[in-house]
Amino acid sequence: MRYLFVLFLLCLITHSVAQFLDFSQCLQDMIQKATDSGFTSRDQCIPNGLLNNQGECPSSLKEATAMSYRACSQSCSAKTTSDDIWKKTLEQFSAWVLPSLAILCQLPFGSHRAWDDFIAILLTVGCTPLAAFSLVITILNGRWIAKKFKRIRFGAAQDALKCLQSLQQTAVKVAMRDEIFTSLVVHPHNDAFWALLANKLDEQASTWTVPSATGVVWVIAAYLMSVAVSFIQMPDLSAISQGQSLGGAWTSLIAIATGWLIVSPKSSARRNADCIERANEVAWVAPYTATSGNNLVGHLMISQHRHIHAIAVLEDDPEVDVNLLHDQMCSQPIYNYARLHAWRQFASKIHYYYDNADLRARAHMPVHGGHFHTPVPSSVFNPNRVGTVEDVLAYCTDNSDGAADSIPTGKVSDFIVACFAALMLQWCTIGAALITALYTPTTGIGCRSLGYIVYGVLSDITWLLFMLSSWLSDKATKDTEANVEDSIIAESGARQIRRRASYRFYSILFRRLAKIVGSCNAIFFVALCLVQLTGGFNSCFCGSNVLMRGFDRAYIVVHTGSSAEVNTMMHGFIASVALSVGCTVCFIGLVWWLWASTSGCWPLKMPVGFYKWLLASTRTSSRNMSPGMNKSV
């Protein structure tokens, strides 16, 4: 019913504006009236309302190509409905807007609830900076943790790195007891835990496929063909009510969808939970004391601690504050902004344990503190990596503090880079739409350009509300998990509870307000497109740019007078296309470069690797069809 309501609202808006003023016929009637009344001098310009394209009185009726706002409102008040208005509207909508809306299907989804996926689509359209920020910060997170794990060779460190990079779309909760969690790092049998989890997560990545690549290519081709047609139609001012300016504003979706296909996020909540549950079945924990015969192998965690999991999905925790951490538990990648701080704490903690264990392993220090045994390369079990839970905890922590309480969670520079990339993508694409609207006669700020500005400002406000909500949520969570030593004093404990309640209240308030504003902004932008394509802005008020020039100086250009005016309009449209396409290419290039520097697969090598993959796939298919071809590729 919600979808039908939104569709009905958009159709109602379209029907209400599916009428327009025929400015050409109105201008001809005004010229004929001036001719009948004996128009001979410039003094009669004001009463008749005939102007040239510079807003000045024409010296002759041949130069009367515009009319004032006052004359338009008096002489052109009757609306007419064209027989083919719906045909033109559908043609323009399918050329400029529909391909960009279709590319939304390439965005990664996978929530338990379809309504959450629908809200994610609305936020992608209504809050472009949030989608771009989550995309870039996801890559920067993976790049940051990859640099920290670069020199670590202890155990399954590289598999743990893959798991950390893949779990950015999942809010996870680790074992609260450090002596149990450190067993995942040190115990040799837990190398299989990390390997299994990494392989299971990689199996459900949303990566490039032939249908997804074809969909992106078709959207780009549709945009380029629409641009080519627009250059042919440029001298005709009917292009004002068409979608030239809309095309640039929608190109940001191409950049975002292509970026997520490059990153290949693991966004299926149900599959991620299954992968974690499967890996927990093979997790081992160190023994609390040495058994008979000094046996330090330990046991499966699930056999002795059924109520404790090495890693668990936060949504499965009955004690979690669902209202406060709602966005963290949503698996759509657009909500990665909400998991930024929590994920970095989780990744820093695992790196902290692996780093300390790697330093001691390089110094040939066994976990149990006894004699160091030379490991056998062909053996999976390493006797130097077993010990009691106290030995394991001491092996993974510094002797100075003994715990991982205060761990730095990364640099502010990553946050700044993600913010800059998000704002660049948004305002370059909106700026491209503004340039087309501003350079199309009548030039200046009008209803169309003001609509783009409102859309951009509301997008930024929504993004800021989301970021503020995330910060307050982190503060509320940190106060909850903080050390309770201050709570010994009743006054201090009460003050802490009030502060957390305040953080929680405003975090939920700002998040819900941001979703309302972002969703309404998406509907507003789609409605803006429909109004523009149906000629809803072809009114005396919007066509004369009263907002910029005022009621007395406003005028409407009906026909282009000279080739210079056509060239100015053409140059503005070229600049608009160059800005939107250039910004989109730069953003995709930034995403590709950051991803390549993280994964080690550089863009210059990608085409070669792609062709090798395509050739191998073709040969594999041929071998499956012909049993006699058993030669390996």
Side-chain angles (χ1 to χ4, degrees):
M1 291 299 296
R2 294 167 178 171
Y3 303 96
L4 294 177
F5 173 75
V6 174
L7 182 61
F8 171 76
L9 180 62
L10 294 178
C11 292
L12 183 63
I13 295 174
T14 304
H15 176 73
S16 63
V17 299
Q19 296 177 327
F20 66 97
L21 297 178
D22 192 347
F23 291 129
S24 298
Q25 183 63 41
C26 185
L27 181 63
Q28 292 179 7
D29 295 341
M30 293 177 62
I31 293 175
Q32 184 63 39
K33 184 178 179 180
T35 302
D36 297 339
S37 62
F39 177 83
T40 56
S41 66
R42 298 169 62 90
D43 296 336
Q44 299 184 27
C45 169
I46 301 301
N48 286 289
L50 295 173
L51 303 171
N52 57 21
N53 287 356
Q54 285 73 40
E56 301 174 351
C57 295
S59 58
S60 64
L61 290 178
K62 294 182 179 180
E63 297 181 2
T65 56
M67 54 184 166
S68 66
Y69 166 74
R70 301 291 187 185
C72 177
S73 59
Q74 295 175 2
S75 305
C76 307
S77 58
K79 291 186 177 181
T80 59
T81 303
S82 176
D83 295 335
D84 59 346
I85 184 173
W86 285 107
K87 178 182 178 182
K88 293 181 179 179
T89 300
L90 293 176
E91 289 177 353
Q92 294 298 316
F93 187 84
S94 61
W96 294 105
V97 180
L98 189 59
S100 299
L101 289 176
I103 205 173
L104 291 173
C105 300
Q106 304 297 336
L107 296 175
F109 301 107
S111 175
H112 295 300
R113 297 169 292 273
W115 178 246
D116 289 337
D117 290 336
F118 179 68
I119 293 296
I121 293 176
L122 289 180
L123 292 178
T124 303
V125 178
C127 188
T128 304
L130 180 67
F133 174 85
S134 296
L135 171 59
V136 176
I137 202 64
T138 299
I139 305 174
L140 292 176
N141 282 341
R143 193 167 181 257
W144 165 75
I145 196 62
K147 287 183 178 180
K148 297 179 76 70
F149 271 84
K150 185 176 181 181
R151 67 175 185 86
I152 299 178
R153 294 295 181 268
F154 180 83
Q158 298 307 310
D159 288 329
L161 170 63
K162 294 179 181 178
C163 294
L164 290 175
Q165 293 175 334
S166 300
L167 288 175
Q168 292 193 60
Q169 282 69 243
T170 305
V172 296
K173 180 181 179 181
V174 299
M176 297 299 296
R177 296 159 61 179
D178 290 336
E179 63 270 16
I180 294 179
F181 186 68
T182 50
S183 296
L184 293 178
V185 176
V186 175
H187 201 288
H189 289 335
N190 283 329
D191 291 351
F193 167 86
W194 293 110
L196 177 62
L197 182 58
N199 293 332
K200 290 295 182 180
L201 290 173
D202 284 339
E203 290 177 358
Q204 54 103 10
S206 303
T207 185
W208 284 99
T209 60
V210 174
S212 62
T214 304
V216 174
V217 170
W218 277 120
V219 171
I220 296 175
Y223 174 73
L224 295 178
M225 286 188 291
S226 299
V227 169
V229 172
S230 297
F231 279 111
I232 301 175
Q233 299 177 345
M234 185 58 64
D236 185 8
L237 284 186
S238 63
I240 294 178
S241 62
Q242 296 177 356
Q244 280 84 343
S245 59
L246 298 176
W250 284 98
T251 53
S252 58
L253 293 182
I254 300 177
I256 293 173
T258 305
W260 282 124
L261 288 174
I262 293 174
V263 177
S264 304
K266 287 74 176 177
S267 57
S268 176
R270 190 171 289 104
R271 292 183 180 179
N272 289 344
D274 292 341
C275 294
I276 294 174
E277 183 178 358
R278 178 72 181 277
N280 283 329
E281 296 176 357
V282 298
W284 285 66
V285 64
Y288 285 93
T289 57
T291 58
S292 59
N294 199 27
N295 184 8
L296 299 174
V297 176
H299 48 264
L300 285 172
M301 185 178 299
I302 195 173
S303 63
Q304 299 292 329
H305 306 276
R306 294 187 177 274
H307 62 287
I308 297 177
H309 297 84
I311 298 178
V313 179
L314 190 61
E315 190 175 2
D316 297 336
D317 188 357
E319 299 180 357
V320 68
D321 192 341
V322 179
N323 291 326
L324 179 63
L325 305 178
H326 178 269
D327 282 6
Q328 285 193 31
M329 294 185 294
C330 291
S331 62
Q332 293 89 347
I334 194 174
Y335 295 117
N336 282 3
Y337 83 95
R339 291 181 284 266
L340 173 60
H341 184 73
W343 179 88
R344 288 221 170 190
Q345 280 190 327
F346 170 59
S348 296
K349 189 173 184 178
I350 293 180
H351 168 262
Y352 173 80
Y353 291 146
Y354 263 109
D355 188 42
N356 287 311
D358 185 70
L359 291 176
R360 288 175 170 81
R362 292 176 185 271
H364 299 289
M365 297 172 57
V367 176
H368 50 76
H371 178 69
F372 180 81
H373 299 274
T374 302
V376 180
S378 59
S379 177
V380 177
F381 182 77
N382 188 342
N384 299 310
R385 294 173 55 186
V386 296
T388 63
V389 290
E390 294 182 357
D391 296 333
V392 171
L393 181 60
Y395 199 77
C396 292
T397 55
D398 292 333
N399 295 328
S400 57
D401 54 15
D405 296 330
S406 300
I407 303 174
T409 57
K411 299 180 295 183
V412 182
S413 59
D414 290 346
F415 180 83
I416 296 176
V417 170
C419 292
F420 174 78
L423 292 176
M424 179 199 70
L425 178 65
Q426 182 207 13
W427 283 109
C428 283
T429 52
I430 295 179
L434 282 173
I435 290 175
T436 303
L438 292 175
Y439 279 86
T440 301
T442 305
T443 60
I445 298 178
C447 297
R448 301 172 187 82
S449 53
L450 181 62
Y452 297 136
I453 295 174
V454 171
Y455 166 71
V457 171
L458 288 179
S459 296
D460 289 341
I461 292 175
T462 304
W463 177 52
L464 292 176
L465 287 174
F466 273 119
M467 301 307 296
L468 184 58
S469 172
S470 176
W471 179 76
L472 292 173
S473 175
D474 293 334
K475 294 285 289 184
T477 306
K478 186 181 297 184
D479 282 352
T480 304
E481 299 174 353
N483 198 323
V484 296
E485 291 181 358
D486 293 338
S487 299
I488 298 176
I489 305 176
E491 182 180 358
S492 177
R495 185 167 56 250
Q496 184 179 9
I497 293 174
R498 288 195 301 268
R499 184 172 63 247
R500 179 191 179 273
S502 178
Y503 289 152
R504 180 183 182 276
F505 172 78
Y506 285 108
S507 174
I508 297 173
L509 175 64
F510 289 152
R511 188 192 71 237
R512 292 178 177 176
L513 182 62
K515 289 188 176 181
I516 293 174
V517 176
S519 301
C520 293
N521 195 33
I523 298 175
F524 164 76
F525 187 56
V526 176
L528 178 69
C529 297
L530 294 175
V531 170
Q532 181 168 341
L533 294 176
T534 54
F537 289 136
N538 281 13
S539 64
C540 294
F541 182 86
C542 292
S544 58
N545 290 350
V546 175
L547 296 173
M548 177 180 178
R549 304 177 186 274
F551 290 99
D552 296 330
R553 300 179 57 188
Y555 63 94
I556 303 173
V557 176
V558 182
H559 302 295
T560 53
S562 62
S563 59
E565 296 175 351
V566 177
N567 291 335
T568 301
M569 186 167 53
M570 182 79 71
H571 293 160
F573 185 59
I574 292 175
S576 171
V577 173
L579 181 61
S580 61
V581 173
C583 177
T584 302
V585 172
C586 289
F587 185 84
I588 295 175
L590 174 65
V591 170
W592 201 341
W593 178 77
L594 291 174
W595 171 81
S597 63
T598 302
S599 61
C601 185
W602 289 96
L604 293 178
K605 298 179 181 180
M606 283 297 294
V608 178
F610 173 76
Y611 289 127
K612 287 183 178 180
W613 169 82
L614 184 61
L615 181 61
S617 301
T618 304
R619 291 181 178 178
T620 302
S621 301
S622 301
R623 184 171 64 251
N624 293 336
M625 294 177 61
S626 302
M629 299 177 62
N630 296 323
K631 185 177 179 180
S632 177
V633 178

